[in-house]
Amino acid sequence: MSADDAPDGDAAGDLNAFLTRETVEGDADGPLAGRTVAVKDNISTEGIPTTCGSAMLADYVPPYDATVVERLRDAGATIVGKTNMDEFGMGGTTETSAFGPTKNPVDPERVPGGSSGGSAAAVAAGEADLALGSDTGGSVRNPAAFCGVVGIKPTYGLVSRYGLVAYANSLEQIGPFARTVEDAAALLDAIAGPDEHDATTRYDAAEGGAADAPGVPDDTHPADATEYAAAADGDVDGMTVGVPTELVEGADDEVVAVFEDALADLEAKGVETVEVSLPSVEHAVQAYYVIAMSEASSNLARFDGVRYGVDGGEGNWNESFARSREEGFGDEVKRRILLGTYALSAGYHDKYYKKAQDARAWVKRDFDEALSEADVLATPTMPVLPPKRGESLDDPLSLYLMDANTVPVNLANLPAISVPAGEADDLPVGMQFVGPAFGEEAVIRAGSAVEE
Amino acid sequence: MTATDEGDASAADADAVDPDEVRHVADLARVDLDDEEAAAFAEQFADVLDYFAALDEVPEVADDPDLVNVMRADEVREGLSQEEALANAPDSEAGFFKGPKVS
């Protein structure tokens, strides 16, 4: 399958937002009854192809549903298809998909952002009311910003990752897209909660649970006592918003101008803004890529062409394994597997991986300190406007640097939202709010005040 | 890029990525590469690893999260059927995955 022979002749088909169109009706009633949801193609759907945007999984049909897909059905939502993405979530523009790039509905010459670009484009184009993406270093917030929609990256452990094809386990969370903050929060209400299939959500698991975890008042899961949609009330009077100077200075001028206008609007609504500092973020992008690539090199070892994937053919096991992966993986995936293997190899482990873990702990500590001075932090989501397709692909390093404002949040496992803050050169600019662990209500409230 | 330059340790490390070293890592990772890919990756790796070298400046930071037992009781429960587990395999025989020779 390629972009050219995608079966769709309508607007979203032209955008190449969907890889598979298939309607799965949910239960008759429920909070999402009558709503359509597009699902990123790295989230398993029983009986429906789940390719991760990779030739490796072009023919893969999962025998089970991801927990979030079960919950969509329980909530009455109708699934309308699987959306295009950077291969295995590796990319920031949805150009590394084996099935062709997705176009940004705002300007079809530009990228929709990545890696959940298909999901963001489907929502922005009105082809789905809601969508699910996954955010490892910004992959929900980045395309939300570039397509002018709302995206939420939940606190690590709020949403089950069972059935999400793993790329970097310690960083990634499934998150919702919608055209309004309230709709995105309602989708979060439907998918959040503990899951016995995912130990990272099991706050109610064994005795002791996670009673000591910050932000968790007892041994229940934080989603059990919370209604996120109700927090989208725009009432920010008295809220303190911290602005990390390091994450504003690096952004383009026209992006900063929109961001500062939005901040001024918030101040008019009773918000107090304070400057905060996150000195560690200077090293966050390096740490993020070392950790993500290291985890990727380990996770993607499962693709050996035996249980699923491209058949490596005859020869001995090593030769067959290597051939399967040569044929099945695209350049960015190979690049990350190799760099991850290098970073974990005997002579370099202390130099790269161990240092990256130190940087991660430092980033967490910085966020804790900044969030002791403010209820939420605000930054531009992306430091740049959406680039044209083909502009950034040849220089991996420049692509990695685009994630400077989003990746620190994943390193710290915190919740964040991207909401449309305005436009520059007729292109959308996103504003990001970051909250304390399990502080989704605060970022949703702040985001809802921006869209009013 | 060659490893013959003299210089400080981090610069030497970044420079040390030649196509042969990329091939060695690719062997470890079980990914076949053609010559063109190995050459292109060697060039890109020098840039990326040079960028990663800034991690040298990061101080040691203690991070001792409270560990919690998240294991469930070890009880037998339903899983995939043999047919479902084999459904995506390129090759299978008599209810087993069929793979290439190990040696």
Side-chain angles (χ1 to χ4, degrees), chain A residues 160-433:
Chain A
S160 171
R161 292 173 41 258
Y162 179 74
L164 172 68
V165 179
Y167 152 31
N169 310 46
S170 79
L171 298 158
E172 64 203 2
Q173 275 282 287
I174 292 171
F177 289 96
R179 288 186 288 277
T180 68
V181 174
E182 187 178 5
D183 282 356
L187 180 50
L188 184 61
D189 277 319
I191 61 172
D195 177 15
E196 62 175 7
H197 292 302
D198 179 357
T200 60
T201 67
R202 285 185 61 93
Y203 288 93
D204 61 343
E207 280 81 4
D212 301 331
V216 183
D218 51 32
D219 63 353
T220 59
H221 189 275
D224 289 346
T226 316
E227 262 202 59
Y228 299 115
D233 57 13
D235 180 11
V236 288
D237 191 16
M239 185 183 263
T240 307
V241 173
V243 182
T245 43
E246 295 89 349
L247 297 182
V248 180
E249 281 165 2
D252 288 353
D253 290 347
E254 63 266 40
V255 170
V256 173
V258 173
F259 172 74
E260 286 181 343
D261 281 352
L263 269 185
D265 284 347
L266 286 179
E267 283 171 340
K269 291 178 176 167
V271 162
E272 187 197 344
T273 56
V274 294
E275 273 196 15
V276 295
S277 182
L278 298 170
S280 64
V281 297
E282 195 187 324
H283 296 90
V285 174
Q286 296 97 310
Y288 166 77
Y289 278 102
V290 169
I291 291 167
M293 289 170 178
S294 296
E295 292 186 18
S297 74
S298 165
N299 270 321
L300 272 60
R302 74 190 58 178
F303 297 102
D304 57 7
V306 173
R307 288 156 298 160
Y308 31 70
V310 175
D311 188 354
E314 298 297 315
N316 76 32
W317 188 78
N318 281 342
E319 289 162 5
S320 174
F321 192 163
R323 214 156 38 225
S324 163
R325 295 152 69 78
E326 180 192 25
E327 288 170 27
F329 291 145
D331 277 351
E332 187 58 37
V333 172
K334 288 179 189 168
R335 191 150 44 229
R336 293 194 193 194
I337 290 174
L338 264 50
L339 281 163
T341 303
Y342 185 83
L344 289 177
S345 63
Y348 296 102
H349 178 275
D350 285 1
K351 180 176 168 61
Y352 296 115
Y353 188 73
K354 189 172 170 298
K355 277 293 171 191
Q357 295 292 7
D358 281 335
R360 183 173 194 170
W362 189 18
V363 169
K364 281 184 186 174
R365 202 181 60 192
D366 266 4
F367 270 109
D368 283 348
E369 281 171 16
L371 286 164
S372 70
E373 296 169 42
D375 297 310
V376 296
L377 309 181
T379 78
T381 308
M382 299 302 291
V384 295
L385 296 171
K388 293 196 171 165
R389 280 198 311 285
E391 273 184 357
S392 48
L393 260 195
D394 293 336
D395 182 2
L397 196 55
S398 78
L399 201 64
Y400 299 166
L401 291 171
M402 221 163 67
D403 294 344
N405 286 7
T406 53
V407 300
V409 176
N410 298 72
L411 288 173
N413 292 342
L414 299 176
I417 193 170
S418 178
V419 293
E423 292 189 343
D425 299 339
D426 294 328
L427 295 167
V429 172
M431 184 164 187
Q432 171 178 246
F433 294 100

